[in-house]
Amino acid sequence: MKSISIFGVFVADLCFIGDRIPNKGETILGKKHVVGPGGKGSNQSIAAARLNGNVSFITKVGKDSHSEMALNLYKEAGVKTHSIIQDNKLFTGVAGIMIDKGGNNAINIISGAAEHLVTGDIDNKVETIKNSEIFLTQMETPYETTIYALKKAKEHKCITILNPAPARKIDEDIFKIIDFFTPNETEAEFYLNKKIETSEDIKNAANELLKKGIKNVIITLGEKGIYFANGKENFFLEAYKLKQPVIDTTGAGDAFNGAFAVGLANDLDIKEALTFANKVAGVSTTKSGAATSMPFAKELTDN
Ligand code: RIB
């Protein structure tokens, strides 16, 4: 099996569960408050490790109760932690998450210690990237450091996956070093500066992203599944038909990305890896929380 390095953020998710997400200027009475592990890179690492991936996570956290939660979680899941920098002068990040009764969410994240990840940190941990064949990252870490890490990964011949979440401007020359680009519909709209409404819009969006130099585009469409295109092959995959109700969609995109990396690490072909990731993402929505909802390999046979 190929090894995976993931660069990203850990934060503690402060989740507020209520009937609905409050409107601007509104106060509502919620139903439940849960504090759990989150952060896209961290969630993706847990997803991959629970699916038996060989995963190293590169990040920066503080030395506090939140980072303790993270380190316990990695130990339990088997995520390799030698590239996690702990800085006792910084605070581990947090995210405020509002969740409605349909499992939809709105998130505001403060990356905390991970906001202080600099290119020198990547140089210090470059062996981790060098020793992996697949590199996965997102956009919660500082832009310059994220791009530097992506470039290092390409230099060391890794397959690169960029999950552009949250959507932020990317310099045009960077697209050509991305092997797999995995925006959701909203993020794809951001990169193309246009609305995506119909199936035709989705196909056109993927083609336009390919024209930027990305090798493979995967647009995740929530309950509508995914669309894949690489110029030779293109197809829609329906969302996995769940046997249980959706409880919380937080982290479903992370489940997808972590699982897709494992699919590639196991040498599945692209369609097989996408089918696998689609199922893992679906199953993750039947449990609450972000990292806590990542399915274990054995759960996939029961769902
Ligand atoms: O993708 C879900 C994650 O986004 C949450 O865990 C939250 O921390 C934010 O990073």
Side-chain angles (χ1 to χ4, degrees):
M1 185 206 265
K2 297 190 165 89
S3 61
I4 304 166
S5 59
I6 300 183
F7 176 60
V9 165
F10 168 85
V11 293
D13 283 350
L14 316 181
C15 306
F16 299 83
I17 301 147
D19 283 339
R20 55 190 182 79
I21 295 168
N23 294 317
K24 196 156 131 188
E26 187 189 25
T27 303
I28 62 164
L29 292 171
K31 296 256 191 285
K32 208 168 137 190
H33 175 233
V34 185
V35 179
K40 294 183 195 301
S42 177
N43 296 339
Q44 294 175 10
S45 301
I46 297 295
R50 286 188 175 179
L51 298 167
N52 304 321
N54 177 1
V55 193
S56 297
F57 185 38
I58 309 169
T59 194
K60 191 177 277 185
V61 290
K63 221 172 179 142
D64 45 34
S65 57
H66 289 156
S67 60
E68 205 177 302
M69 165 163 67
L71 294 172
N72 287 336
L73 183 78
Y74 303 144
K75 197 169 170 194
E76 213 175 277
V79 172
K80 294 186 179 153
T81 54
H82 56 277
S83 294
I84 298 182
I85 305 159
Q86 262 196 303
D87 187 325
N88 54 14
K89 290 186 282 314
L90 299 170
F91 290 98
T92 307
V94 286
I97 308 189
M98 301 287 162
I99 301 166
D100 71 11
K101 64 177 177 205
N104 305 298
N105 63 55
I107 305 179
N108 189 342
I109 171 173
I110 310 288
S111 299
E115 267 172 48
H116 298 265
L117 279 157
V118 292
T119 54
D121 293 324
I122 300 299
D123 286 334
N124 291 337
K125 302 297 177 189
V126 77
E127 283 299 307
T128 304
I129 296 177
K130 206 168 152 186
N131 292 333
S132 63
E133 284 123 311
I134 295 164
F135 174 79
L136 166 61
T137 192
Q138 326 70 34
M139 301 293 285
E140 287 184 334
T141 40
Y143 178 78
E144 195 198 342
T145 316
T146 311
I147 298 306
Y148 188 73
L150 254 180
K151 284 184 177 163
K152 285 284 159 201
K154 213 13 51 205
E155 212 175 290
H156 292 295
K157 315 243 174 315
C158 295
I159 297 173
T160 56
I161 310 171
L162 177 63
N163 171 219
R168 288 162 73 177
K169 197 179 169 314
I170 298 175
D171 291 317
E172 289 293 319
D173 62 321
I174 299 304
F175 289 110
K176 62 177 186 301
I177 61 167
I178 304 170
D179 293 317
F180 291 91
F181 191 62
T182 62
N184 62 20
E185 265 169 301
T186 320
E187 289 148 3
E189 284 178 349
F190 172 89
Y191 288 104
L192 298 169
N193 198 20
K194 60 161 89 154
K195 275 264 160 235
I196 298 176
E197 277 154 355
T198 62
S199 308
E200 260 334 279
D201 292 344
I202 296 167
K203 290 183 189 169
N204 292 335
N207 283 337
E208 281 179 52
L209 289 167
L210 288 174
K211 279 196 205 124
K212 289 179 180 284
I214 299 164
K215 313 265 179 326
N216 300 273
V217 172
I218 300 160
I219 304 182
T220 57
L221 307 165
E223 72 279 11
K224 291 189 282 193
I226 60 154
Y227 180 71
F228 170 81
N230 67 1
K232 290 179 230 105
E233 214 185 345
N234 56 72
F235 52 83
F236 280 97
L237 274 186
E238 276 183 22
Y240 181 72
K241 299 241 173 338
L242 294 167
K243 299 190 185 88
Q244 328 262 356
V246 172
I247 291 180
D248 182 358
T249 59
T250 314
D254 300 330
F256 180 88
N257 280 278
F260 181 63
V262 171
L264 294 182
N266 283 329
D267 291 325
L268 299 185
D269 69 31
I270 293 177
K271 199 168 198 169
E272 286 167 342
L274 290 171
T275 306
F276 173 66
N278 215 15
K279 177 168 183 178
V280 173
V283 173
S284 78
T285 66
T286 64
K287 300 200 282 176
S288 64
T292 48
S293 72
M294 299 305 160
F296 290 89
K298 62 176 174 346
E299 281 176 77
L300 298 176
T301 45
D302 310 330
N303 274 283

